[in-house]
Amino acid sequence: MNARQEKYDVIIIGSGAAGLTAALELGQSRKVLVLAKGSLTGGSTAWAQGGIAAVLDAGDTFENHIRDTMIAGAGLNDRETVEFVIEGAPKAIDRLCELGVPFNRESGDLHLTREGGHSHRRIVHVNDATGWAVQEALLNAANANPNITLLPGRSCIDFITGRHAEPYSGSGHVWGVYALDEESGRVEAHVAKATVLAAGGAGRVYQFSTAPRGATGDGIAMGWRAGARVSNMEMMQFHPTCLYNLEVKNFLITEAVRGEGGHLINPRTGKRFMEYYDERLELAPRDIVARAIDAEIKRFGLDFVHLDISHKPPEFVREHFPTIYDKLIGLGIDMTTQPIPVVPAQHYTCGGVVIDLAGRTDLPGLWAAGEVTESGLHGANRLASNSLLECFVFGEAAAKDICQRWDELPDPPAIREWDESRVTDSDEEVVIKQNWTEIRRFMWNYVGIVRTTKRLERAANRIQLLKAEVEDYYGSFRVTTDLVELRNLLQAADLIVRSALKRHESRGLHYTLDYLETDEVPVDTVLVP
């Protein structure tokens, strides 16, 4: 029986840590449909090398972890959210252990590593491929649950709201989603009483990004179009160390290489340079390290800088970073004897759809969790390894809230089928490719690590020109995944630029040469549709 005719209680958009955590909780009592664009493992979770932050060390406290998170977030975090997530961390780790995630251990106890911005060792990990192990464990558990249906190859286009109901309603209530079956090209209406948005971030808006190919801001754009507020989209985190290689795109060199003693070196001078930027040297927070590398690259006209851990014993390096070691050996770089060429790259979307502590969005019937949201946890900069943690805590919170309110949730009305009576197949795919490349390039150059008002205004002008072109194209041709993604990329770029223009200060990840001071009172940038 196809997914169209099946009756589901809850639809979840996204099959990463947040979506599957919600599915496993809901699947105890409800029939759940999980939709994934492309493959079930195509999201960011599977790519997470670092680990999951939790207070598990004898000398560590919740207060320490909260303080580290608030310092990294430059005070823009919501204290209540930070407490909620961090206090939920040990329980989340216990649940993952129960699911069989093989975290590294030392004489029976969990092995904890340390990363930039953390005052203690508190990162549980599976070598340097934590995300993959977590993704695998969650998928295995979801596959084993008869109440959960996993449906890959579905590109979600727009939320189904009261506007698509018979009779029409302007309530803004969400009843599921219209999704493109990537194989057949047909658009399906997936209808349910509750919907959970866990579609990930908007990293591919940028030319250099560690995000997977599908991170095109779909969930944020869909939420905005349906009427949800979006917050702090100017807070885009750039990972300081992405492998610089013209063949291999988006390969991340984990923070932990610096945590375990790696040095950043200017290849022209042969010297370490972090001492000129921050007394914490290589262990400074990511935004400071990324700006330092950006400054060295611009000042010396470099393509990359070197990250060097070859002064450590070879067996130490191979044991700690097996995945990275093997990957680099395949590219002719031996990290036990040679430096690694690295460049900053967009890494994490700190802003997103506004949610409360129960994962509720502004729209009735719609909950959200993970990187697609702005929960108040990260503020102006995400502390390393807090992101997977947010997925587990909010995925569970949203699921529990849905279960508690189940009896009050109204049943869906009759929903109209997708109308494609006025469109034809595209004869100009080149338009999509051209616009995609253009957006990612001007976002990198004008809305990157260091910003100015003039550059932001240039980006805003480009976006206005492209908007008319893309809307015209979208209205005339049958939808494809590429077209859906282009429309969402442009919407995400627009939200980032509008947010950046509204913030007249430098704080955390938003660094502008026109407003170098930080305001006394931190204020979220909230955009209202």
Side-chain angles (χ1 to χ4, degrees), residues 169-189:
S169 156
S171 67
H173 200 113
V174 171
W175 302 109
V177 68
Y178 288 116
L180 171 70
D181 176 340
E182 293 172 2
E183 204 175 314
S184 72
R186 290 203 41 218
V187 177
E188 307 160 338

Side-chain angles (χ1 to χ4, degrees), residues 62 66 78-91 355-359 375 377 389-390 392-398 400:
F62 285 145
I66 290 165
D78 177 71
R79 169 106 196 176
E80 196 186 356
T81 306
V82 175
E83 289 172 4
F84 172 68
V85 173
I86 283 163
E87 287 166 12
K91 187 163 147 265
I355 57 166
D356 66 9
L357 290 182
S375 66
L377 173 64
L389 177 58
E390 181 184 34
F392 305 128
V393 173
F394 275 100
E396 186 184 336
K400 286 199 155 135

Side-chain angles (χ1 to χ4, degrees), residues 248-281:
V248 179
K249 297 283 190 281
N250 318 333
F251 187 69
L252 193 63
I253 308 297
T254 172
E255 199 94 6
V257 173
R258 300 202 310 283
E260 296 294 347
H263 296 162
L264 285 166
I265 292 169
N266 181 317
R268 179 88 39 89
T269 63
K271 293 192 167 70
R272 286 174 74 178
F273 56 80
M274 277 311 296
E275 63 187 78
Y276 305 116
Y277 298 95
D278 195 282
E279 62 198 16
R280 290 164 289 190
L281 305 176

Side-chain angles (χ1 to χ4, degrees), residues 509-524:
L509 299 165
H510 178 69
Y511 187 80
T512 167
L513 299 177
D514 292 311
Y515 302 98
L516 288 169
E517 299 299 309
T518 301
D519 293 344
E520 269 181 48
V521 182
V523 179
D524 289 323

Side-chain angles (χ1 to χ4, degrees), residues 2 16 25 69 96 107 109 145 214 228 230 256 279 288 291 304 350 361 366 406 417 443 446 460 468 481 498:
N2 81 15
E25 183 72 31
T69 300
L96 292 169
S107 53
D109 293 330
N145 185 322
V230 164
E279 62 198 16
I288 292 170
R291 276 202 298 277
F304 54 82
C350 289
T361 69
L366 181 66
W406 190 255
E417 291 291 321
M443 287 298 288
Y446 294 159
T481 299
R498 282 165 63 176

Side-chain angles (χ1 to χ4, degrees), residues 115-168:
E115 294 182 337
H118 287 275
S119 58
H120 289 71
R121 284 187 171 262
R122 62 167 75 100
I123 318 297
V124 298
H125 61 107
V126 181
N127 296 331
D128 53 355
T130 309
W132 186 256
V134 166
Q135 179 80 48
E136 202 171 38
L138 291 169
L139 272 176
N140 288 343
N143 272 318
N145 185 322
N147 278 340
I148 299 174
T149 302
L150 301 168
L151 195 59
R154 296 301 186 278
S155 274
C156 292
I157 304 169
D158 269 317
F159 287 118
I160 294 170
T161 67
R163 288 181 292 191
H164 306 106
E166 308 276 7
Y168 175 95

Side-chain angles (χ1 to χ4, degrees), residues 212 287 352 423:
D287 55 324
V423 295

Side-chain angles (χ1 to χ4, degrees), residues 4 6-11 30-31 160-169 171 173-178 189-195 364-365 367 406-416:
R4 281 285 293 107
E6 279 251 18
K7 273 269 185 257
Y8 293 98
D9 296 321
V10 184
I11 287 163
R30 302 276 152 230
K31 278 188 80 67
I160 294 170
T161 67
R163 288 181 292 191
H164 306 106
E166 308 276 7
Y168 175 95
S169 156
S171 67
H173 200 113
V174 171
W175 302 109
V177 68
Y178 288 116
H190 297 284
V191 180
K193 265 169 88 157
T195 304
W367 285 256
W406 190 255
D407 295 338
E408 316 156 16
L409 297 177
D411 287 322
I415 297 295
R416 295 198 304 276

